[in-house]
Amino acid sequence: NAGVTQTPKFQVLKTGQSMTLQCAQDMNHNSMYWYRQDPGMGLRLIYYSASEGTTDKGEVPNGYNVSRLNKREFSLRLESAAPSQTSVYFCASSETGTAKNIQYFGAGTRLSVL
Amino acid sequence: AQTVTQSQPEMSVQEAETVTLSCTYDTSESDYYLFWYKQPPSRQMILVIRQEAYKQQNATENRFSVNFQKAAKSFSLKISDSQLGDAAMYFCAYRRRNNDMRFGAGTRLTVKP
């Protein structure tokens, strides 16, 4: 039962470098999400994909891009990393995007930007 | 914008005792969902319990129950017979419509043996 799998688990970048965080789910869910978690704060939504082929901005989208590659995979890209993007990133999925559906989370990626 | 407030950054409880974690939220909507998530040191976010706002009955999952006060916009989590494995960060979350879930800042729960 893999659920939601994120890679890598840890990453260190220099300012200005780019990278892509990968996320895959095996629950046949339609909706997928990217969050960031900063110290002393709850998770904040960066982008989401309600269904394959669609993506939309969340609360804090600046500095990020996403790709819903297929139903299983949803990637998050940092084109030019900044120290303010140091955070723990979580991917999640749910059966659909309606409010009642439970979101299932991956184990997170800890990203440090120096 | 909807906000979720957890006023207790840290709480501690003796093993086998009961503890209540507080959560309040701000909304003008009548139909929404509330969640409590647990985040152990492994960082995995695990759903503890869910409450539909249109249901007056408080949700219960084994040792976990909520006290949902819609008029007061309060959604507290009660953990009975606390166990060492309950030690974690607990996040309250509010969701009104599609893809718009807001989290509180979390409460760190310590369980003392």
Side-chain angles (χ1 to χ4, degrees), chain A residues 50-69:
Chain A
S51 60
E52 186 178 355
T54 68
T55 60
D56 286 287
K57 296 178 180 179
E59 187 183 357
V60 288
N62 292 345
Y64 305 95
N65 288 301
V66 290
S67 295
R68 184 72 183 270
L69 304 171

Side-chain angles (χ1 to χ4, degrees), chain A residues 72-89:
Chain A
R72 289 187 64 249
E73 299 172 289
F74 187 40
S75 63
L76 178 72
R77 183 163 178 83
L78 288 70
E79 290 290 353
S80 179
S84 62
Q85 294 177 305
T86 294
S87 189
V88 180
Y89 292 84

Side-chain angles (χ1 to χ4, degrees), chain A residues 33 37 42 100 103 105 108, chain B residues 37 39 43-44 50 95 104:
Chain A
Y33 314 81
Q37 183 180 27
K100 68 177 182 179
Q103 292 189 7
F105 287 82
Chain B
Y37 277 88
Q39 186 180 43
R43 290 205 311 252
Q44 188 78 43
R50 178 182 64 173
R95 193 175 189 190

